[in-house]
């Protein structure tokens, strides 16, 4: 079966649909070095103590690294970091390509190319198509890069329309929004390895139940959620911070520092309001939400609240079409996972578009082979929606029972077998590289060899590679067999 594609009418408007509140405008730059206030230090200390002895040791180490890194960045203006990443890009033979970013992040150091190879996005169908999956994994991957690169890649490389980007403090939550034809995409950034606040969010493994209110009484239906993920998106700004609590990135790539306009407005409220304004201006738009790792968890929390919150205009709920996550950790309890699963299964069978095609909400959770992140936190108090798309070198498999595909024991066995195979392949491949006078690839191969699969498989570039059906450039090149998808799920 071929992939279904629809013809679209590009919407145009002479006036912008949405105007942000008045604020002071400044070029995007790092805030000056600000020493924490006493209240802020006590807040960090309470976070450290909450994680227990081992968590506290890890958090203290990360705190020291982050503290000295922030001093270095404040004094040197980030020039050293940019220089190192540029040297890495040069060392790997990159640069001079418009589809690449100017300063590659650590997460994307293996592949900083953001070229879209498919055409026809978006495809409005309940089946998973390669076109949609490719754009959404690239958006999740792009979220790790500099905010100025967000705008350039979306507008110049992808030739899509920029809506807005946001960086929230002190939560550290970053998200950008863009649209193309009949899709508006909301992409959340995942965990930056050297960002202290991202790790504090990840380690806050207590469960928190949202309380219903007069405005949104149905939030109680969501059940318990990971406290760190919930607070990062649903908690009002911390007024003790002396720097602006969020920045808005406009279409010109300039960051606007926004003040504490209203402490009752959460990051979720701000992003949702912007999406709603775009939906009011264009009745043909449908919402696609995506993210990788921590961004995947934030995407699921965001999408769940979109589906449950009061919508008197009937503007948002019928037009939330795709929640597509990559490497998502367990985000909530059984009730939360069941809510998303039921929302997808119910609406898939009940919504018919104006053209007679089935259009509903689809929750697609990708797990790449031995990726460890979808297997944590342990399934004691946390749960996943049972259905997910399992990726490996041979293609995909739709699994309808979490315990069948996310076994830790299976990961350990596969890791041992893979380590043995790579140990044999590494010297042979390196000899071939040197024979062809490629002196850099053996070093990259060795770096990849040192990474266990449970980490290597978590990189967004690995999700992108398997979704596109490309061979591993470092191992198993000769063993790769091209596969053809039998149904229009991938490709």
């Amino acid at each position: 079966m071929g992939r279904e594609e629809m013809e679209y009418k590009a919407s145009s408007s002479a006036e912008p649909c949405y105007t942000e509140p008045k604020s002071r405008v400044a070029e995007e730059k790092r805030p000056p070095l600000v020493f924490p206030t006493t209240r802020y230090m006590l807040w960090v200390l309470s976070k450290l103590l909450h994680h227990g002895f081992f968590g506290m040791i890890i958090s203290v180490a990360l705190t020291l690294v982050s503290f000295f890194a922030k001093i270095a960045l404040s004094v040197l203006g980030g020039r050293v970091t940019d220089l190192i990443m540029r040297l890495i890009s040069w060392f790997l033979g990159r640069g001079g390509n418009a589809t690449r970013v100017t300063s590659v992040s650590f997460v994307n150091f293996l592949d900083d190319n953001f070229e879209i190879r498919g055409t026809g996005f978006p495809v409005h169908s309940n089946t998973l198509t390669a076109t949609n999956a490719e754009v959404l994994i690239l958006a999740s991957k792009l979220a790790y890069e500099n905010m100025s690169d967000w705008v350039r890649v979306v507008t110049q490389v992808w030739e899509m329309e920029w809506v807005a980007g946001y960086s929230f403090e002190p939560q550290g939550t970053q998200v950008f929004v863009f649209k193309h034809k009949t899709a508006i995409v909301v992409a959340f950034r995942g965990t930056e390895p050297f960002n202290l606040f991202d790790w504090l969010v990840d380690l806050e493994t207590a469960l928190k139940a949202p309380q219903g209110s007069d405005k949104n009484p149905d939030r109680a239906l969501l059940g318990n959620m990971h406290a760190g993920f919930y607070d990062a998106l649903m908690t009002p700004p911390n007024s003790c911070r002396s720097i602006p609590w969020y920045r808005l990135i406009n279409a010109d790539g300039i960051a606007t520092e926004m003040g504490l306009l209203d402490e009752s407005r959460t990051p979720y409220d701000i992003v949702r309001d912007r999406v709603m304004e775009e939906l009011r201006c264009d009745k043909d738009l449908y919402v696609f939400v995506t993210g990788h790792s921590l961004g995947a968890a934030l995407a699921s929390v965001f999408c769940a609240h979109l589906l449950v919150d009061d919508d008197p205009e009937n503007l948002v709920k019928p037009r939330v079409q795709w929640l597509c996550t990559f490497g998502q950790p367990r985000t909530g309890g059984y009730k939360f996972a069941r809510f998303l699963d039921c929302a997808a299964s119910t609406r898939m069978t009940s919504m018919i578009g104006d053209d007679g095609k089935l259009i509903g909400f689809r929750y697609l959770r990708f797990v790449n082979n031995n990726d460890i992140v979808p297997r944590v936190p342990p399934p004691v108090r946390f749960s996943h929606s049972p259905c997910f798309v399992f990726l490996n070198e041979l293609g995909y498999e739709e699994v309808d029972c979490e315990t069948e595909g996310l076994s830790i024991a299976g990961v350990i066995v596969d890791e041992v077998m893979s380590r043995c195979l790579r140990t044999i392949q590494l010297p042979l491949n390196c000899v071939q590289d040197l024979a062809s006078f490629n002196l850099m690839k053996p070093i990259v191969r060795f770096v990849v060899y040192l990474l266990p699969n449970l980490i290597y498989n978590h990189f967004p570039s690995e999700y992108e590679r398997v979704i596109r059906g490309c061979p591993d450039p470092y191992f198993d090149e000769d063993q790769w067999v091209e596969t053809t998808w039998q149904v229009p799920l991938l490709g």
Side-chain angles (χ1 to χ4, degrees):
M1 295 176 63
R3 294 178 296 182
E4 296 187 19
E5 296 187 359
M6 301 171 62
E7 297 197 2
Y8 313 94
K9 295 181 180 179
S11 59
S12 61
S13 59
E15 298 293 333
C17 294
Y18 183 79
T19 302
E20 288 286 344
K22 293 183 179 179
S23 57
R24 57 190 182 91
V25 179
E27 292 186 358
E28 181 182 354
K29 58 183 179 181
R30 298 186 185 277
L33 180 62
V34 179
F35 289 98
T37 62
T38 303
R39 179 180 171 188
Y40 176 63
M41 293 176 67
L42 290 175
W43 176 79
V44 172
L45 181 61
S46 67
K47 292 287 186 181
L48 300 182
L49 294 175
H50 176 78
H51 303 316
F53 179 72
F54 292 106
M56 185 173 68
I57 293 177
I58 295 173
S59 297
V60 168
L62 289 170
T63 302
L64 294 175
V65 171
S66 177
F67 177 71
F68 288 112
K70 285 184 180 296
I71 292 179
L73 291 175
S74 299
V75 174
L76 302 174
R79 295 184 180 89
V80 172
T81 302
D82 289 340
L83 177 61
I84 292 173
M85 298 314 299
R86 288 178 187 275
L87 287 175
I88 292 176
S89 296
W90 171 83
F91 182 76
L92 296 177
R94 297 169 181 167
N97 190 329
T99 63
R100 301 186 186 277
V101 295
T102 56
S103 180
V104 62
S105 71
F106 176 80
V107 175
N108 293 329
F109 83 96
L110 289 175
D111 182 8
D112 62 343
N113 196 321
F114 291 90
E115 180 183 6
I116 294 178
R117 301 174 187 175
T119 58
F121 177 80
V123 178
H124 293 281
S125 171
N126 283 327
T127 56
L128 174 56
T129 62
T131 299
N132 288 353
E134 179 191 30
V135 172
L136 296 179
I137 183 56
L138 285 175
S140 301
K141 177 181 167 184
L142 178 62
Y144 287 98
E145 299 299 332
N146 290 339
M147 290 179 284
S148 58
D149 283 321
W150 293 354
V151 179
R152 186 184 65 82
V153 172
V154 168
T155 58
Q156 299 179 22
V157 179
W158 298 347
E159 297 182 345
M160 298 181 183
E161 184 178 349
W162 179 261
V163 175
Y166 299 94
S167 178
F168 297 96
E169 298 291 347
Q171 295 95 328
T173 303
Q174 291 186 346
V175 55
F176 67 91
V177 185
F178 66 95
K179 60 183 180 179
H180 184 63
K181 297 179 180 177
T182 57
I184 181 168
V185 180
V186 182
F188 289 87
R189 177 182 63 79
T191 301
E192 284 283 7
F194 303 114
N195 187 314
L196 169 65
F197 288 101
D198 286 354
W199 285 103
L200 287 177
V201 168
D202 293 337
L203 293 172
E204 186 67 44
T205 56
L207 286 171
K208 176 176 286 189
Q211 301 298 320
S213 62
D214 294 338
K215 185 178 179 181
N216 296 300
D218 292 337
R219 285 189 178 181
L221 297 175
L222 299 178
N224 294 327
M225 282 174 272
H226 184 290
F229 303 151
Y230 179 84
D231 289 342
L233 197 61
M234 306 302 297
T235 300
N238 188 343
S239 59
C240 75
R241 296 283 285 181
S242 56
I243 61 176
W245 73 274
Y246 82 91
R247 288 186 291 172
L248 166 71
I249 297 84
N250 297 302
D252 54 7
I254 301 298
T256 304
E257 295 184 352
M258 313 297 288
L260 292 170
L261 301 177
D262 184 353
E263 292 191 12
S264 65
R265 295 187 72 202
T266 66
Y268 164 80
D269 295 325
I270 293 172
V271 178
R272 181 178 185 266
D273 290 347
R274 188 58 187 267
V275 171
M276 289 184 66
E277 289 297 329
E278 296 297 329
L279 295 178
R280 288 191 186 98
C281 294
D282 189 346
K283 301 298 183 182
D284 294 327
L285 286 178
Y286 288 88
V287 181
F288 290 65
V289 186
T290 189
H292 169 266
S293 190
L294 166 62
L298 297 178
S300 65
V301 173
F302 179 81
C303 196
H305 282 81
L306 287 183
L307 294 173
V308 80
D309 278 358
D310 190 37
D311 185 19
E313 303 176 59
N314 201 30
L315 187 67
V316 180
K317 290 183 181 180
R319 293 155 76 179
V320 178
Q321 189 166 104
W322 269 45
L323 168 59
C324 191
T325 65
F326 306 91
Q328 177 187 340
R330 293 186 176 95
T331 308
Y334 173 79
K335 192 174 181 180
F336 177 78
R338 185 62 178 165
F339 172 83
L340 286 175
D341 187 48
C342 290
S345 60
T346 301
R347 293 184 59 188
M348 277 179 61
T349 58
S350 62
M351 295 188 64
I352 305 296
D354 294 336
D355 56 359
K357 294 183 178 179
L358 183 65
I359 298 177
F361 169 66
R362 185 78 195 270
Y363 176 28
L364 295 160
R365 180 169 61 87
F366 285 87
V367 176
N368 183 29
N369 206 18
N370 291 332
D371 183 358
I372 189 61
V373 174
R375 297 166 169 88
V376 296
V380 178
R381 298 176 300 160
F382 294 87
S383 292
H384 268 314
S385 173
C387 300
F388 65 98
V389 181
F390 185 75
L391 301 172
N392 56 34
E393 295 292 353
L394 299 179
Y396 79 96
E397 178 184 6
E398 283 199 298
V399 181
D400 59 3
C401 180
E402 180 187 359
T403 57
E404 293 180 5
L406 298 184
S407 169
I408 294 291
V411 172
I412 295 175
V413 172
D414 288 346
E415 182 66 39
V416 173
M417 295 178 62
S418 174
R419 186 62 50 187
C420 295
L421 181 61
R422 288 188 174 190
T423 301
I424 297 173
Q425 290 182 350
L426 180 63
L428 299 177
N429 289 337
C430 289
V431 169
Q432 294 176 359
D433 294 334
L434 295 174
S436 60
F437 300 99
N438 189 338
L439 304 180
M440 298 180 183
K441 196 168 185 179
I443 299 177
V444 180
R445 284 190 196 273
F446 184 71
V447 173
V448 173
Y449 170 79
L450 294 178
L451 292 173
N453 277 338
L454 54 87
I455 296 176
Y456 180 59
N457 289 158
H458 185 61
F459 280 88
S461 57
E462 276 297 287
Y463 277 87
E464 174 196 355
R465 179 184 67 79
V466 179
I467 286 173
R468 285 177 165 175
C470 299
D472 190 324
Y474 307 110
F475 292 97
D476 297 326
E477 291 179 336
D478 297 332
Q479 287 77 18
W480 177 264
V481 178
E482 290 289 341
T483 58
T484 302
W485 307 104
Q486 301 300 318
V487 294
L489 287 173
L490 286 172

